[in-house]
Amino acid sequence: DVKVTQSSRYLVKRTGEKVFLECVQDMDHENMFWYRQDPGLGLRLIYFSYDVKMKEKGDIPEGYSVSREKKERFSLILESASTNQTSMYLCASSFKGDTEAFFGQGTRLTVV
Amino acid sequence: GQQLNQSPQSMFIQEGEDVSMNCTSSSIFNTWLWYKQDPGEGPVLLIALYKAGELTSNGRLTAQFGITRKDSFLNISASIPSDVGIYFCAGRYFSGGYNKLIFGAGTRLAVHP
């Protein structure tokens, strides 16, 4: 079974903190993605990566950065968390050129 | 930019009823996908559609890729309580050298036993 694991299900952080969300996949997928999910807005792409050390901005990259030092791991970084970054964050991965993306369980982040 | 309009936003139905939801766009897509998200979980792929006009079934689910490539629908027949969740459509398009996905806002389905 494909497994995409996000390090935390729930996180509460203070405004201004640096936050790391970690994602690991065990299927040797080339592609990895970070989305945020908000009610009424669906899933919006923050950043994606098609290879190690490679990253591309998605539709809403502002306030975020990413790191992909190893093929199986894709980290999302909030340099200085703000309350408008309170959301559900979903990591996904897929094979290169493949349509199906496999999602992790999500991390619900609350910034207070 | 690309936008998908998914409707309805939510549905509350009786067990055994059929369900229909759809996504429309002013843009053309080369693939349409339908995902389901159970409460507290990540989305899981239900059906993928690759050709305009394609009609695909997966058990009680049926989805179609619109002939104009700008829309898709998903039908669920004889709903059961475990159909509860959020259903997302997604359109795949090519931009900036990459294949990208854009998601609809989701249809939240509640099934009353």
Side-chain angles (χ1 to χ4, degrees), chain B residues 17-32:
Chain B
E17 285 185 19
D18 295 344
V19 172
S20 185
M21 60 192 79
N22 69 83
C23 273
T24 61
S25 177
S26 58
S27 304
I28 289 173
F29 295 98
N30 56 44
T31 304
W32 280 96

Side-chain angles (χ1 to χ4, degrees), chain B residues 25-72:
Chain B
S25 177
S26 58
S27 304
I28 289 173
F29 295 98
N30 56 44
T31 304
W32 280 96
L33 307 167
W34 285 93
Y35 280 83
K36 183 195 177 195
Q37 184 179 30
D38 288 327
E41 303 292 330
V44 174
L45 183 66
L46 298 174
I47 290 181
L49 302 155
Y50 300 101
K51 280 180 9 180
E54 180 181 351
L55 183 72
T56 297
S57 293
N58 179 6
R60 293 179 296 107
L61 277 58
T62 302
Q64 184 157 31
F65 193 141
I67 198 75
T68 64
R69 296 171 60 195
K70 295 180 180 181
D71 62 337
S72 177

Side-chain angles (χ1 to χ4, degrees), chain A residues 11-78:
Chain A
L11 274 180
V12 180
K13 295 292 181 181
R14 295 192 181 279
T15 301
E17 273 194 79
K18 189 169 186 175
V19 181
F20 292 87
L21 302 184
E22 306 286 349
C23 175
V24 177
Q25 50 93 5
D26 65 359
M27 278 303 291
D28 204 34
H29 285 167
E30 291 87 7
N31 305 335
M32 295 190 76
F33 310 86
W34 274 106
Y35 292 89
R36 65 176 280 176
Q37 180 181 6
D38 299 289
L41 296 177
L43 279 66
R44 293 179 292 165
L45 183 63
I46 305 171
Y47 266 95
F48 60 99
S49 169
Y50 284 109
D51 204 348
V52 176
K53 295 193 186 295
M54 178 270 178
K55 60 185 177 186
E56 288 289 335
K57 292 180 180 179
D59 300 316
I60 51 164
E62 295 79 19
Y64 304 95
S65 62
V66 290
S67 172
R68 191 154 180 214
E69 296 297 315
K70 294 185 178 181
K71 190 175 185 180
E72 67 271 20
R73 186 180 295 270
F74 193 35
S75 303
L76 180 69
I77 304 154
L78 286 67

